[in-house]
Amino acid sequence: MKFCALINNRLIRNKFIKKKLKVFSSNLCGWFSKKKSLTEIIEREGRDIACLTETHTKGYEKPNLEGFTSYFRNRTGDRNGGGVCLLIKKNLELETIKICEGAEGEFVCVKINNMKKPIVMVVQYGVHAREGTENMMLAMYYDQIHYIHSPLEY
């Protein structure tokens, strides 16, 4: 199966990407203070996806890395910290769709369609025991599963 897209009035055709994905995951404790070292690691290790928690970005700020597309969910309200992000390499981005983000919980889900089998990536910052209950955590997981298995086309 092939996919195509119209970019700058040019038809781009491509086949499924047939390679193993290299994924990086980190609890950053602040994107802006770690951006330089994170960039070096991702470039040196040739990572395709970065799953980041505790980005500490606010509002519409987001982690940006050259050659990657950022899918993010920042913490809302007055609490400091938090925030999650998936950085997806541009060669995968052409067929990557943001499925959902948490309304209450901090998570973001994307679906990558240009692999041999579609891949759903989820990055989540969990509920602390002192701030929530097991039922709150289960509700967040059920939300994610609902969106991932939704019959709607996204």
Side-chain angles (χ1 to χ4, degrees):
M1 178 181 255
K2 295 182 178 183
F3 66 89
C4 61
L6 194 61
I7 300 177
N8 295 330
N9 294 323
R10 290 181 45 216
L11 187 62
I12 306 296
R13 295 178 193 271
N14 205 339
K15 294 181 180 179
F16 284 127
I17 295 171
K18 296 177 183 176
K19 73 172 203 156
K20 292 182 180 179
L21 292 178
K22 291 185 176 184
V23 179
F24 175 85
S25 179
S26 180
N27 186 333
L28 293 177
C29 293
W31 164 253
F32 296 106
S33 64
K34 308 293 189 315
K35 182 178 179 178
K36 183 178 178 189
S37 60
L38 180 66
T39 301
E40 291 170 2
I41 292 168
I42 289 174
E43 287 177 359
R44 182 180 67 237
E45 301 293 326
R47 302 300 173 164
D48 302 298
I49 298 171
C51 303
L52 310 174
T53 58
E54 286 205 44
T55 59
H56 295 192
T57 50
K58 297 180 182 193
Y60 292 103
E61 293 177 333
K62 64 181 176 181
N64 276 321
L65 202 57
E66 189 174 336
F68 288 79
T69 300
S70 181
Y71 299 90
F72 68 101
R73 166 50 164 89
N74 292 334
R75 180 169 286 173
T76 58
D78 296 333
R79 292 178 33 223
N80 289 328
V84 295
C85 178
L86 282 166
L87 292 171
I88 310 287
K89 209 169 209 179
K90 293 277 186 185
N91 69 329
L92 298 173
E93 189 269 336
L94 189 62
E95 283 289 311
T96 299
I97 301 165
K98 183 176 181 179
I99 299 173
C100 64
E101 65 180 47
E104 299 296 322
E106 292 174 47
F107 70 88
V108 64
C109 302
V110 300
K111 184 176 183 184
I112 303 170
N113 290 308
N114 58 341
M115 304 301 289
K116 191 169 183 175
K117 292 184 178 182
I119 297 172
V120 174
M121 299 289 300
V122 179
V123 64
Q124 169 185 325
Y125 188 76
V127 177
H128 289 277
R130 68 181 182 275
E131 298 171 351
T133 65
E134 183 178 337
N135 287 340
M136 290 173 70
M137 186 62 107
L138 289 173
M140 189 167 23
Y141 290 139
Y142 290 137
D143 282 349
Q144 293 168 7
I145 290 168
H146 167 75
Y147 285 112
I148 291 167
H149 291 290
S150 173
L152 299 174
E153 289 188 30
Y154 23 78

